[in-house]
Amino acid sequence: DAKTTQPPSMDCAEGRAANLPCNHSTISGNEYVYWYRQIHSQGPQYIIHGLKNNETNEMASLIITEDRKSSTLILPHATLRDTAVYYCIVRPVNTGGFKTIFGAGTRLFVKA
Amino acid sequence: DTAVSQTPKYLVTQMGNDKSIKCEQNLGHDTMYWYKQDSKKFLKIMFSYNNKELIINETVPNRFSPKSPDKAHLNLHINSLELGDSAVYFCASSPYFDNEQFFGPGTRLTVL
């Protein structure tokens, strides 16, 4: 079972920042927060992950609260191509990748 | 260059048949996976595999079997296909068991 809670859908205006929240109140100390997205009819795409520090890469930023019970994925300048389902996943290390459990995700609509 | 490729993209077959889906990755990764995405769009892991270890999701029927001729390939064999096997199947790979995963484009299987 997924250990995260995400809103089912969100809208964002093109060019604005998209802030996607994720609650993971039962996260354990050895669990990472991962974000993937799935654009319609494609395979999931890795975005970013973190343990407790904020992370940034060319795609997005990940803000994790100090108590690690929630996080926010930030797409700084959303484009129409960012319309997708975004999945927040928490999983421990050394599990054979087996705990990469996808929930329902958040369907992000970027509008012109 | 396609990082993770799957063939065929679409597969339509009759109940009771045996079929295979092929997966190849050219990323030099050690670990590969198979996922099933059902009609409700939930992604569920079926197998994770590297040269040393196969981990099987216990909910997967033994009609499904992964076969790896070499490190770059992980094929999925399905025997005695059933209507409920209709889904999109995704192959993925990662450098090691616990890194971010790279997904293929998916194979849409329809069992009639």
Side-chain angles (χ1 to χ4, degrees):
Chain A
D1 294 333
K3 297 174 62 175
T4 62
T5 304
Q6 299 176 253
S9 66
M10 293 181 63
D11 289 345
C12 178
E14 189 179 20
R16 305 296 293 267
N19 298 306
L20 293 94
C22 179
N23 286 324
H24 31 78
S25 58
T26 61
I27 192 169
S28 300
N30 68 340
E31 290 183 319
Y32 284 77
V33 180
Y34 275 75
W35 283 84
Y36 286 79
R37 72 180 182 183
Q38 187 172 22
I39 296 170
H40 181 63
S41 297
Q42 297 182 22
Q45 177 189 22
Y46 165 80
I47 302 173
I48 199 168
H49 74 281
L51 184 62
K52 55 183 178 180
N53 296 322
N54 297 338
E55 301 289 343
T56 296
N57 63 21
E58 65 277 5
M59 289 183 68
S61 294
L62 173 61
I63 309 297
I64 303 174
T65 58
E66 193 170 343
D67 62 8
R68 303 210 321 124
K69 292 186 177 182
S70 65
S71 60
T72 301
L73 179 74
I74 301 173
L75 308 178
H77 305 287
T79 71
L80 298 179
R81 288 177 294 181
D82 291 322
T83 292
V85 178
Y86 287 77
Y87 298 99
C88 170
I89 297 162
V90 296
R91 69 165 185 83
V93 296
N94 300 323
T95 57
F98 225 70
K99 295 296 184 181
T100 304
I101 298 172
F102 289 80
T106 295
R107 188 171 294 276
L108 175 68
F109 295 95
V110 180
K111 299 182 177 180
Chain B
D1 290 340
T2 303
V4 182
S5 59
Q6 297 178 226
T7 53
K9 188 169 177 62
Y10 300 96
L11 181 56
V12 181
T13 188
Q14 300 285 333
M15 267 198 312
N17 284 349
D18 302 337
K19 290 293 179 184
S20 296
I21 305 172
K22 294 184 177 181
C23 177
E24 177 181 2
Q25 54 94 4
N26 62 6
L27 298 167
H29 289 170
D30 283 337
T31 307
M32 298 182 73
Y33 312 82
W34 277 105
Y35 286 81
K36 178 182 180 181
Q37 188 167 39
D38 59 25
S39 57
K40 296 183 179 179
K41 303 297 185 183
F42 285 104
L43 265 165
K44 295 180 182 178
I45 192 165
M46 303 174 70
F47 306 100
S48 66
Y49 180 80
N50 68 13
N51 285 335
K52 302 174 185 177
E53 189 174 0
L54 169 66
I55 302 179
I56 303 171
N57 185 329
E58 66 272 9
T59 66
V60 175
N62 58 14
R63 298 181 294 104
F64 291 78
S65 58
K67 288 188 170 48
S68 179
D70 55 56
K71 197 173 81 166
H73 297 82
L74 184 66
N75 304 324
L76 182 64
H77 296 270
I78 316 169
N79 295 326
S80 303
L81 277 156
E82 301 177 357
L83 294 176
D85 297 334
S86 295
V88 181
Y89 291 84
F90 289 99
C91 176
S93 72
S94 63
Y96 308 106
F97 259 140
D98 284 317
N99 295 100
E100 57 269 25
Q101 297 176 19
F102 295 78
F103 284 78
T107 295
R108 181 174 294 277
L109 171 66
T110 302
V111 182
L112 303 175

